[in-house]
Amino acid sequence: MSYKVKLEDLKELKVTRVTSYKIYFKYKDICYMLIDESDDDACISLYKRLWVKKDRLNLVKMGSTISSGGMSQFIKDISKKRPAHLVYSNIDREFFVKKLVEMGFVSGIYDKQYKEAVGRAEIIRAEIRKLQNQVSDIYKEWRDTHGIGSKQYGIELKTKVADRVKGAKEGEWCEEYNAYYGDIHPEYGGVLTDLFSLHVGDWFTVANGWYDAYIGVNKHGDKCVVTDKSCVKLTKDKHSAYIYQGEKDEEL
């Protein structure tokens, strides 16, 4: 479960320390820490820092999100002379907060603006998906054959074999993305899904990348993600994606 920082006044915000993997900041005398906790997967987390003694504090986790940008993505220097070392008073606080909003860590001051921006972006993404489907139709038409070959394998048998691996259910932990299946990506909006749970022939749109794909099966009976350009076998380490679940136009 994640908890957002309610932020209404930029004047109450102060960035106190920036390193290559941490950012400390305060809002209304409450201390917070952003930290890059990436291991095999990119992950940034937000913690509240609660002092219990003069020399001791507890960290309370507010939330985590998938992101590969590191700490530098939060920092915009507004100084004109560009000093060799970062001056904290020159950090663009508005930019910093807007990045936190995009990550799903902050609510309040920019909620309405961000909702409007997401809506405009979704309109453009819908147009992109239309064009992607048109490209897909062109390639499918080009690849259409009469099915002549030296040996044919029954698709029913391969499909039955492909379902031998069962996908995780909503609420189960996903090691690949350090999140729970069913979680919604704060930036892209897709739902984290175990692709093993989909059936051969199912079409879907990958939200973190906005491309269409479907579940295919190779000659060994292994499920694969098939796009216009590739066919990638699902493995125990790579078998999840954030899938767009909004309604598409009928012509898509």
Side-chain angles (χ1 to χ4, degrees):
M1 183 179 292
S2 61
Y3 302 91
K4 293 185 179 183
V5 179
K6 187 73 172 180
L7 196 152
E8 298 286 358
D9 187 356
L10 285 180
K11 295 178 182 179
E12 298 284 349
L13 174 74
K14 182 179 180 180
V15 177
T16 58
R17 187 184 178 193
V18 178
T19 73
S20 60
Y21 66 98
K22 287 182 181 180
I23 295 177
Y24 294 104
F25 67 96
K26 294 176 63 177
Y27 181 67
K28 291 186 175 180
D29 296 326
I30 300 177
C31 300
Y32 299 93
M33 176 183 69
L34 277 174
I35 182 169
D36 188 340
E37 295 186 311
S38 301
D39 189 4
D40 293 332
D41 295 305
C43 178
I44 290 179
S45 297
L46 174 66
Y47 290 86
K48 182 186 291 186
R49 304 170 73 220
L50 300 176
W51 294 93
V52 294
K53 291 184 179 180
K54 184 178 180 180
D55 58 349
R56 179 183 171 190
L57 60 81
N58 287 338
L59 295 178
V60 179
K61 193 166 188 177
M62 305 287 286
S64 296
T65 189
I66 304 299
S67 179
S68 60
M71 295 297 102
S72 61
Q73 67 180 306
F74 296 95
I75 303 302
K76 181 179 179 182
D77 193 335
I78 61 175
S79 62
K80 296 181 179 179
K81 294 184 178 180
R82 292 290 187 269
H85 300 286
L86 180 66
V87 178
Y88 293 160
S89 60
N90 288 333
I91 293 176
D92 190 325
R93 288 179 294 176
E94 181 179 358
F95 179 84
F96 178 70
V97 172
K98 285 184 175 180
K99 287 297 297 184
L100 293 176
V101 171
E102 292 178 16
M103 295 284 183
F105 292 145
V106 163
S107 65
I109 188 170
Y110 296 117
D111 286 351
K112 183 178 179 181
Q113 292 180 8
Y114 183 58
K115 184 177 180 180
E116 291 174 350
V118 170
R120 295 198 305 270
E122 179 54 33
I123 292 173
I124 295 174
R125 285 171 177 149
E127 293 298 321
I128 291 173
R129 289 193 293 273
K130 288 181 182 179
L131 296 175
Q132 288 175 330
N133 282 333
Q134 290 176 19
V135 171
S136 178
D137 289 341
I138 290 172
Y139 279 104
K140 283 191 290 186
E141 182 179 355
W142 151 248
R143 293 167 183 158
D144 188 29
T145 68
H146 293 89
I148 300 173
S150 59
K151 184 176 182 180
Q152 299 294 319
Y153 293 88
I155 186 64
E156 294 84 1
L157 177 59
K158 289 192 289 185
T159 299
K160 184 176 181 180
V161 174
D163 284 332
R164 67 188 183 279
V165 180
K166 304 300 181 183
K169 299 179 180 178
E170 182 175 328
E172 295 185 32
W173 182 251
C174 174
E175 295 289 345
E176 188 175 347
Y177 284 100
N178 288 322
Y180 291 99
Y181 287 109
D183 284 358
I184 298 175
H185 197 286
E187 181 176 357
Y188 305 112
V191 177
L192 185 56
T193 305
D194 187 339
L195 299 180
F196 275 122
S197 66
L198 301 183
H199 300 293
V200 174
D202 284 351
W203 281 86
F204 56 93
T205 299
V206 178
N208 48 325
W210 292 107
Y211 61 88
D212 290 327
Y214 68 91
I215 298 297
V217 59
N218 63 19
K219 64 180 181 181
H220 302 294
D222 300 312
K223 285 184 179 178
C224 306
V225 174
V226 183
T227 68
D228 291 332
K229 302 295 184 181
S230 65
C231 177
V232 180
K233 174 185 170 182
L234 299 183
T235 67
K236 65 177 183 178
D237 297 319
K238 299 292 181 182
H239 58 88
S240 306
Y242 284 92
I243 293 180
Y244 175 77
Q245 293 192 347
E247 293 184 2
K248 294 187 175 182
D249 295 336
E250 292 182 357
E251 71 228 58
L252 292 184

mmCIF file of all heavy atoms in Angstrom, residues 10 13 71-78 91-102 110:
data_model
loop_
_atom_site.group_PDB
_atom_site.id
_atom_site.type_symbol
_atom_site.label_atom_id
_atom_site.label_comp_id
_atom_site.label_asym_id
_atom_site.label_seq_id
_atom_site.Cartn_x
_atom_site.Cartn_y
_atom_site.Cartn_z
ATOM 1 N N LEU A 10 4.345 25.340 -2.184
ATOM 2 C CA LEU A 10 5.759 25.158 -2.553
ATOM 3 C C LEU A 10 6.699 25.865 -1.579
ATOM 4 O O LEU A 10 7.849 25.450 -1.414
ATOM 5 C CB LEU A 10 6.005 25.683 -3.972
ATOM 6 C CG LEU A 10 5.513 24.827 -5.135
ATOM 7 C CD1 LEU A 10 5.842 25.503 -6.454
ATOM 8 C CD2 LEU A 10 6.119 23.430 -5.098
ATOM 9 N N LEU A 13 8.302 23.717 1.014
ATOM 10 C CA LEU A 13 9.157 22.611 0.556
ATOM 11 C C LEU A 13 10.617 23.064 0.507
ATOM 12 O O LEU A 13 10.922 24.156 0.030
ATOM 13 C CB LEU A 13 8.715 22.145 -0.828
ATOM 14 C CG LEU A 13 9.607 21.089 -1.499
ATOM 15 C CD1 LEU A 13 9.400 19.735 -0.837
ATOM 16 C CD2 LEU A 13 9.302 21.000 -2.992
ATOM 17 N N MET A 71 18.182 9.656 -9.581
ATOM 18 C CA MET A 71 17.863 10.894 -8.869
ATOM 19 C C MET A 71 17.945 12.131 -9.756
ATOM 20 O O MET A 71 17.286 13.137 -9.509
ATOM 21 C CB MET A 71 18.812 11.059 -7.676
ATOM 22 C CG MET A 71 18.662 10.004 -6.596
ATOM 23 S SD MET A 71 17.027 10.007 -5.774
ATOM 24 C CE MET A 71 16.244 8.608 -6.567
ATOM 25 N N SER A 72 18.740 12.063 -10.814
ATOM 26 C CA SER A 72 18.933 13.234 -11.674
ATOM 27 C C SER A 72 17.638 13.665 -12.361
ATOM 28 O O SER A 72 17.487 14.834 -12.725
ATOM 29 C CB SER A 72 20.006 12.951 -12.724
ATOM 30 O OG SER A 72 19.614 11.863 -13.561
ATOM 31 N N GLN A 73 16.677 12.733 -12.534
ATOM 32 C CA GLN A 73 15.427 13.081 -13.208
ATOM 33 C C GLN A 73 14.566 14.047 -12.395
ATOM 34 O O GLN A 73 13.664 14.690 -12.928
ATOM 35 C CB GLN A 73 14.623 11.821 -13.513
ATOM 36 C CG GLN A 73 14.105 11.098 -12.273
ATOM 37 C CD GLN A 73 13.312 9.860 -12.598
ATOM 38 O OE1 GLN A 73 12.352 9.903 -13.355
ATOM 39 N NE2 GLN A 73 13.738 8.729 -12.036
ATOM 40 N N PHE A 74 14.842 14.172 -11.089
ATOM 41 C CA PHE A 74 14.053 15.053 -10.227
ATOM 42 C C PHE A 74 14.636 16.466 -10.140
ATOM 43 O O PHE A 74 13.981 17.366 -9.631
ATOM 44 C CB PHE A 74 13.976 14.479 -8.808
ATOM 45 C CG PHE A 74 13.266 13.164 -8.718
ATOM 46 C CD1 PHE A 74 13.967 11.964 -8.749
ATOM 47 C CD2 PHE A 74 11.891 13.102 -8.602
ATOM 48 C CE1 PHE A 74 13.319 10.751 -8.658
ATOM 49 C CE2 PHE A 74 11.223 11.894 -8.513
ATOM 50 C CZ PHE A 74 11.944 10.713 -8.549
ATOM 51 N N ILE A 75 15.858 16.643 -10.610
ATOM 52 C CA ILE A 75 16.576 17.888 -10.379
ATOM 53 C C ILE A 75 16.672 18.726 -11.657
ATOM 54 O O ILE A 75 17.135 18.260 -12.694
ATOM 55 C CB ILE A 75 18.001 17.618 -9.849
ATOM 56 C CG1 ILE A 75 17.930 16.786 -8.571
ATOM 57 C CG2 ILE A 75 18.731 18.926 -9.600
ATOM 58 C CD1 ILE A 75 17.124 17.414 -7.442
ATOM 59 N N LYS A 76 16.216 19.970 -11.544
ATOM 60 C CA LYS A 76 16.352 20.953 -12.615
ATOM 61 C C LYS A 76 16.978 22.208 -12.013
ATOM 62 O O LYS A 76 16.407 22.833 -11.122
ATOM 63 C CB LYS A 76 14.988 21.274 -13.226
ATOM 64 C CG LYS A 76 15.042 22.283 -14.368
ATOM 65 C CD LYS A 76 13.652 22.531 -14.924
ATOM 66 C CE LYS A 76 13.676 23.554 -16.047
ATOM 67 N NZ LYS A 76 12.305 23.843 -16.568
ATOM 68 N N ASP A 77 18.171 22.564 -12.513
ATOM 69 C CA ASP A 77 18.911 23.708 -11.995
ATOM 70 C C ASP A 77 18.444 24.971 -12.711
ATOM 71 O O ASP A 77 18.541 25.081 -13.928
ATOM 72 C CB ASP A 77 20.410 23.490 -12.223
ATOM 73 C CG ASP A 77 21.262 24.470 -11.436
ATOM 74 O OD1 ASP A 77 20.764 25.566 -11.122
ATOM 75 O OD2 ASP A 77 22.433 24.140 -11.157
ATOM 76 N N ILE A 78 17.918 25.953 -11.946
ATOM 77 C CA ILE A 78 17.395 27.177 -12.554
ATOM 78 C C ILE A 78 18.416 28.309 -12.561
ATOM 79 O O ILE A 78 18.118 29.418 -12.998
ATOM 80 C CB ILE A 78 16.121 27.653 -11.830
ATOM 81 C CG1 ILE A 78 16.418 27.956 -10.360
ATOM 82 C CG2 ILE A 78 15.009 26.625 -11.960
ATOM 83 C CD1 ILE A 78 15.238 28.553 -9.608
ATOM 84 N N ILE A 91 17.533 24.714 -7.050
ATOM 85 C CA ILE A 91 16.726 23.588 -7.527
ATOM 86 C C ILE A 91 15.298 24.065 -7.796
ATOM 87 O O ILE A 91 14.680 24.723 -6.956
ATOM 88 C CB ILE A 91 16.722 22.437 -6.502
ATOM 89 C CG1 ILE A 91 18.124 21.830 -6.388
ATOM 90 C CG2 ILE A 91 15.716 21.355 -6.907
ATOM 91 C CD1 ILE A 91 18.231 20.757 -5.317
ATOM 92 N N ASP A 92 14.783 23.748 -8.966
ATOM 93 C CA ASP A 92 13.422 24.124 -9.345
ATOM 94 C C ASP A 92 12.433 23.271 -8.535
ATOM 95 O O ASP A 92 12.231 22.085 -8.814
ATOM 96 C CB ASP A 92 13.226 23.897 -10.848
ATOM 97 C CG ASP A 92 11.920 24.481 -11.365
ATOM 98 O OD1 ASP A 92 10.924 24.451 -10.623
ATOM 99 O OD2 ASP A 92 11.897 24.942 -12.517
ATOM 100 N N ARG A 93 11.809 23.891 -7.533
ATOM 101 C CA ARG A 93 10.913 23.139 -6.646
ATOM 102 C C ARG A 93 9.634 22.698 -7.371
ATOM 103 O O ARG A 93 9.099 21.625 -7.095
ATOM 104 C CB ARG A 93 10.562 23.983 -5.426
ATOM 105 C CG ARG A 93 11.712 24.137 -4.447
ATOM 106 C CD ARG A 93 11.332 25.002 -3.273
ATOM 107 N NE ARG A 93 11.070 26.382 -3.670
ATOM 108 C CZ ARG A 93 10.650 27.321 -2.837
ATOM 109 N NH1 ARG A 93 10.426 27.037 -1.567
ATOM 110 N NH2 ARG A 93 10.437 28.560 -3.252
ATOM 111 N N GLU A 94 9.143 23.528 -8.278
ATOM 112 C CA GLU A 94 7.943 23.161 -9.025
ATOM 113 C C GLU A 94 8.196 21.924 -9.881
ATOM 114 O O GLU A 94 7.390 20.985 -9.910
ATOM 115 C CB GLU A 94 7.496 24.321 -9.912
ATOM 116 C CG GLU A 94 6.222 24.013 -10.708
ATOM 117 C CD GLU A 94 5.772 25.177 -11.568
ATOM 118 O OE1 GLU A 94 6.418 26.245 -11.523
ATOM 119 O OE2 GLU A 94 4.773 25.022 -12.297
ATOM 120 N N PHE A 95 9.342 21.901 -10.569
ATOM 121 C CA PHE A 95 9.707 20.739 -11.388
ATOM 122 C C PHE A 95 9.842 19.494 -10.505
ATOM 123 O O PHE A 95 9.364 18.406 -10.862
ATOM 124 C CB PHE A 95 11.024 21.018 -12.117
ATOM 125 C CG PHE A 95 11.505 19.887 -12.968
ATOM 126 C CD1 PHE A 95 11.026 19.716 -14.261
ATOM 127 C CD2 PHE A 95 12.438 18.975 -12.492
ATOM 128 C CE1 PHE A 95 11.465 18.661 -15.056
ATOM 129 C CE2 PHE A 95 12.878 17.918 -13.272
ATOM 130 C CZ PHE A 95 12.396 17.765 -14.562
ATOM 131 N N PHE A 96 10.498 19.649 -9.350
ATOM 132 C CA PHE A 96 10.702 18.537 -8.421
ATOM 133 C C PHE A 96 9.368 17.931 -7.989
ATOM 134 O O PHE A 96 9.174 16.704 -8.023
ATOM 135 C CB PHE A 96 11.480 19.036 -7.207
ATOM 136 C CG PHE A 96 11.722 18.012 -6.144
ATOM 137 C CD1 PHE A 96 12.592 16.961 -6.352
ATOM 138 C CD2 PHE A 96 11.080 18.108 -4.917
ATOM 139 C CE1 PHE A 96 12.820 16.003 -5.366
ATOM 140 C CE2 PHE A 96 11.297 17.170 -3.924
ATOM 141 C CZ PHE A 96 12.173 16.113 -4.148
ATOM 142 N N VAL A 97 8.419 18.777 -7.622
ATOM 143 C CA VAL A 97 7.117 18.300 -7.158
ATOM 144 C C VAL A 97 6.335 17.646 -8.286
ATOM 145 O O VAL A 97 5.677 16.615 -8.098
ATOM 146 C CB VAL A 97 6.308 19.455 -6.537
ATOM 147 C CG1 VAL A 97 4.886 19.004 -6.223
ATOM 148 C CG2 VAL A 97 6.987 19.949 -5.272
ATOM 149 N N LYS A 98 6.401 18.224 -9.487
ATOM 150 C CA LYS A 98 5.678 17.641 -10.613
ATOM 151 C C LYS A 98 6.197 16.242 -10.944
ATOM 152 O O LYS A 98 5.417 15.356 -11.308
ATOM 153 C CB LYS A 98 5.768 18.553 -11.835
ATOM 154 C CG LYS A 98 4.878 19.786 -11.725
ATOM 155 C CD LYS A 98 4.904 20.629 -12.990
ATOM 156 C CE LYS A 98 3.908 21.784 -12.895
ATOM 157 N NZ LYS A 98 3.898 22.620 -14.113
ATOM 158 N N LYS A 99 7.499 16.023 -10.798
ATOM 159 C CA LYS A 99 8.042 14.674 -11.008
ATOM 160 C C LYS A 99 7.528 13.713 -9.934
ATOM 161 O O LYS A 99 7.210 12.560 -10.220
ATOM 162 C CB LYS A 99 9.574 14.708 -10.986
ATOM 163 C CG LYS A 99 10.191 15.330 -12.215
ATOM 164 C CD LYS A 99 9.884 14.556 -13.483
ATOM 165 C CE LYS A 99 10.467 13.152 -13.450
ATOM 166 N NZ LYS A 99 10.244 12.422 -14.723
ATOM 167 N N LEU A 100 7.401 14.204 -8.697
ATOM 168 C CA LEU A 100 6.854 13.366 -7.629
ATOM 169 C C LEU A 100 5.393 13.022 -7.892
ATOM 170 O O LEU A 100 4.938 11.910 -7.594
ATOM 171 C CB LEU A 100 6.983 14.081 -6.277
ATOM 172 C CG LEU A 100 8.397 14.283 -5.743
ATOM 173 C CD1 LEU A 100 8.361 15.091 -4.457
ATOM 174 C CD2 LEU A 100 9.096 12.950 -5.501
ATOM 175 N N VAL A 101 4.645 13.976 -8.452
ATOM 176 C CA VAL A 101 3.251 13.721 -8.822
ATOM 177 C C VAL A 101 3.182 12.623 -9.873
ATOM 178 O O VAL A 101 2.372 11.689 -9.789
ATOM 179 C CB VAL A 101 2.577 15.010 -9.348
ATOM 180 C CG1 VAL A 101 1.203 14.692 -9.932
ATOM 181 C CG2 VAL A 101 2.446 16.032 -8.228
ATOM 182 N N GLU A 102 4.043 12.712 -10.894
ATOM 183 C CA GLU A 102 4.058 11.704 -11.952
ATOM 184 C C GLU A 102 4.381 10.323 -11.402
ATOM 185 O O GLU A 102 3.874 9.311 -11.894
ATOM 186 C CB GLU A 102 5.094 12.080 -13.023
ATOM 187 C CG GLU A 102 4.733 13.318 -13.823
ATOM 188 C CD GLU A 102 5.808 13.679 -14.828
ATOM 189 O OE1 GLU A 102 6.675 12.820 -15.117
ATOM 190 O OE2 GLU A 102 5.808 14.821 -15.315
ATOM 191 N N TYR A 110 -0.995 20.054 -7.732
ATOM 192 C CA TYR A 110 -1.023 19.910 -9.188
ATOM 193 C C TYR A 110 -1.952 18.788 -9.675
ATOM 194 O O TYR A 110 -1.841 18.349 -10.817
ATOM 195 C CB TYR A 110 0.394 19.646 -9.720
ATOM 196 C CG TYR A 110 1.343 20.799 -9.475
ATOM 197 C CD1 TYR A 110 2.462 20.640 -8.666
ATOM 198 C CD2 TYR A 110 1.101 22.054 -10.036
ATOM 199 C CE1 TYR A 110 3.326 21.693 -8.427
ATOM 200 C CE2 TYR A 110 1.969 23.111 -9.804
ATOM 201 C CZ TYR A 110 3.073 22.928 -8.999
ATOM 202 O OH TYR A 110 3.921 23.981 -8.765
#
